[in-house]
Amino acid sequence: MSVFRRARLRRALVSGAVCAGLAAGTLGLTQGGSRLPVALAVPRTDVFAAADRRPADGPGTTYLLAGLDSRSVLTKQQRRRLHVGNDACDCTDVLMLLHVSADGDRVSTVSLPRDSYVRFAYRTGHVQQSRAARPEAGKINSAHRLGGAALTVRTVEQATGVRVDHYLEADFATFVDAVNRIDGVTVCTAKPLHDANAGLDLPAGTHDLDGRHALQYVRARHIPPSGDLGRVRRQQRMLAELADTFADRGLLDDPAALARTAGDVLGTLRADEELTTGDLVALGRALRRSGSAGTEFATVPIADFDHAVPGWGSTLVWDAERAERLFAALREDRPLTDGEAYALPGPGTPVGWDPADVRVRVATASSRSEQAARLEQDLRAQGFDVRPPRYGTAGTPAPRRTRIVFAPGQERRAASLAAALPDARLRPTEGHPGVIEVRPGRDGARVVPVVHDRSSVEGAPATGDTLDCDHNG
């Protein structure tokens, strides 16, 4: 049976792993010829020994970060307090590919949603052993339950074509402990966040979270927009803010300070057998050199958000063409944020709600005007479900700016419509629950092209300086 090597990874490197559901401990560093304390005495697993037909090695270094849904070390009281329930799946709750460019000037992170539907990469002949015990395909997070870290690595490599150089894994308890030992993490939100399942209840604003509340934040899945993409984007925001915080403290500049602060992080890291101190030093240097503008975060683009599979329920199917472009950029050590790797499926502003599912009515004061008729035509051309117009009281003056009037619960639909009407103002109201009204203004109503692409709204490549609280607070 494979065993994992446990180590302590310096605090600055935890900035990446912690927010992904990972934790780390301290490794020794070298400064001025003097060896700083090292803790590398326990065994680690060789997750690559049994791998066959692996992707070709490429420039740069790629880590697979895995946050494990394992609760065996938690008491019933701890499970209730952390809101993690009693039924552990021994699956990965978080999977991220973290790529350090060959020149050390860029760190790119790609999230692989836990419900992604993929083929499992069993070794030759293993799938025939028992199709019930070893299904040929399923949710990517189940690879760990079916074959541990080794199958997880092989499945990710097979699905992405990206060669994994190193593997890091931790569980819920490790995450909570690591966050507490770095004095918490900062998150910010423009809207209140509430998820009873995860125990999360945050008002709008900026918050310093301890380990327990940070776990609730990164695991919440029932916050609009619900599901994996919103959740992993929040994880990426936390990661970006933590990296920015460490840079502001100067912890990435002083190896001795890094070694000292790393002693505060005593969580358990499970790592591959080939991981060396030099690898982690290179990662720390890359975080320092790249800065927040040189860190990138993206999520695999999705083509189907509700692909039903017997025995698995609702799964996510990747957009094959765009996912391949994204992974090709990692393999070839190219930036993710240049627009090419994540190009939209069509021209226009991306919207997260399908215009065909947005019922729109143009409301005018008295009679159907040429402006209203043109507006209806243009919105219909963008795919919106345009209903017959509504006429108001004669003599009622039109507003100066066009208004989009919508009822509670229609926020995401209204946001898609607002993207097509960039000069309009959003006005929530208690009336008209089924149809969103557009009230043309005296200044006109310009309609621009939109394209339905939830992936580009919630997970498109973004740099760390656009995701941290300085930009989003």
Side-chain angles (χ1 to χ4, degrees):
M1 176 182 296
S2 295
V3 292
F4 291 98
R5 182 169 190 169
R6 299 182 175 184
R8 298 175 188 172
L9 177 60
R10 58 202 179 108
R11 183 172 179 173
L13 301 185
V14 175
S15 63
V18 157
C19 295
L22 301 174
T26 59
L27 287 175
L29 301 174
T30 301
Q31 181 185 32
S34 300
R35 187 69 175 172
L36 299 173
V38 177
L40 288 173
V42 277
R44 288 186 288 180
T45 186
D46 186 356
V47 298
F48 307 114
D52 51 5
R53 299 188 299 275
R54 298 189 65 197
D57 197 6
T61 304
T62 302
Y63 296 77
L64 178 60
L65 310 180
L68 187 62
D69 182 351
S70 176
R71 312 166 198 189
S72 58
V73 299
L74 300 177
T75 65
K76 290 183 178 180
Q77 181 180 4
Q78 288 173 323
R79 293 177 188 182
R80 287 194 299 269
R81 187 167 180 267
L82 296 178
H83 282 264
V84 296
N86 294 319
D87 298 325
C89 65
D90 194 30
C91 55
T92 49
D93 206 46
V94 174
L95 280 176
M96 288 182 171
L97 287 170
L98 185 150
H99 177 80
V100 181
S101 63
D103 60 11
D105 288 340
R106 187 179 64 258
V107 178
S108 306
T109 301
V110 176
S111 296
L112 311 178
R114 52 173 282 169
D115 291 341
S116 300
Y117 187 67
V118 299
R119 294 185 64 85
F120 298 119
Y122 302 107
R123 294 195 301 274
T124 304
H126 274 210
V127 72
Q128 302 299 326
Q129 178 181 347
S130 171
R131 291 187 180 274
R134 292 183 176 271
E136 294 185 34
K139 295 181 178 180
I140 196 169
N141 68 336
S142 291
H144 194 281
R145 173 175 59 83
L146 296 168
L151 181 60
T152 298
V153 170
R154 292 199 303 271
T155 298
V156 168
E157 288 190 334
Q158 175 178 274
T160 67
V162 176
R163 187 182 182 93
V164 174
D165 298 300
H166 297 296
Y167 175 82
L168 305 173
E169 175 199 290
D171 55 26
F172 291 157
T174 302
F175 175 84
V176 171
D177 186 49
V179 172
N180 286 336
R181 292 178 183 276
I182 58 173
D183 301 323
V185 296
T186 301
V187 301
C188 51
T189 175
K191 298 180 179 180
L193 301 179
H194 177 74
D195 183 348
N197 288 356
L200 181 67
D201 190 9
L202 286 181
T206 300
H207 307 276
D208 294 321
L209 305 183
D210 62 11
R212 178 169 70 96
H213 292 97
L215 180 66
Q216 295 168 355
Y217 178 86
V218 298
R219 295 194 68 241
R221 302 182 70 197
H222 300 281
I223 299 172
S226 60
D228 276 345
L229 264 65
R231 186 180 78 130
V232 297
R233 184 56 103 190
R234 286 190 297 275
Q235 294 167 356
Q236 293 167 0
R237 289 186 186 280
M238 178 189 282
L239 213 163
E241 177 60 28
L242 195 58
D244 190 47
T245 298
F246 284 151
D248 289 343
R249 294 177 184 174
L251 297 179
L252 300 178
D253 300 323
D254 185 351
L258 283 173
R260 288 193 299 269
T261 55
D264 293 334
V265 182
L266 302 178
T268 302
L269 173 71
R270 301 170 184 88
D272 67 272
E273 195 171 60
E274 299 177 10
L275 185 69
T276 68
T277 304
D279 295 322
L280 296 171
V281 169
L283 176 56
R285 288 173 178 166
L287 289 171
R288 181 181 70 247
R289 290 176 59 181
S290 63
S292 58
T295 56
E296 306 174 309
F297 300 89
T299 304
V300 181
I302 306 298
D304 189 345
F305 285 86
D306 191 19
H307 178 61
V309 180
W312 294 98
S314 178
T315 67
L316 303 176
V317 176
W318 294 350
D319 183 317
E321 180 182 347
R322 287 197 295 159
E324 170 54 26
R325 289 203 298 266
L326 188 68
F327 296 134
L330 282 185
R331 292 193 296 268
E332 298 165 12
D333 203 26
R334 294 185 283 108
L336 306 182
T337 52
D338 60 3
E340 177 185 347
Y342 213 86
L344 289 171
T349 301
V351 294
W353 199 280
D354 189 352
D357 191 34
V358 180
R359 290 182 287 176
V360 182
R361 175 181 291 120
V362 176
T364 57
S366 56
S367 61
R368 180 180 174 85
S369 65
E370 180 180 346
Q371 180 194 35
R374 185 172 60 253
L375 181 57
E376 290 177 359
Q377 180 180 351
D378 291 345
L379 290 174
R380 192 174 286 112
Q382 293 306 317
F384 291 96
D385 181 4
V386 180
R387 299 303 177 93
R390 183 178 74 86
Y391 304 122
T393 303
T396 301
R400 184 180 67 82
R401 288 184 60 179
T402 297
R403 296 176 182 174
I404 298 173
V405 182
F406 62 97
Q410 300 286 320
E411 289 83 3
R412 294 182 66 197
R413 288 180 172 87
S416 287
L417 182 57
L421 295 167
D423 301 324
R425 287 181 175 177
L426 287 166
R427 288 292 179 87
T429 181
E430 293 298 329
H432 313 294
V435 180
I436 299 176
E437 282 196 355
V438 176
R439 300 176 182 174
R442 298 189 302 275
D443 290 348
R446 178 171 57 106
V447 178
V448 300
V450 295
V451 56
H452 178 220
D453 185 45
R454 181 177 166 188
S455 292
S456 291
V457 175
E458 300 171 27
T463 55
D465 57 346
T466 65
L467 293 181
D468 63 24
C469 287
D470 291 339
H471 187 270
N472 293 276

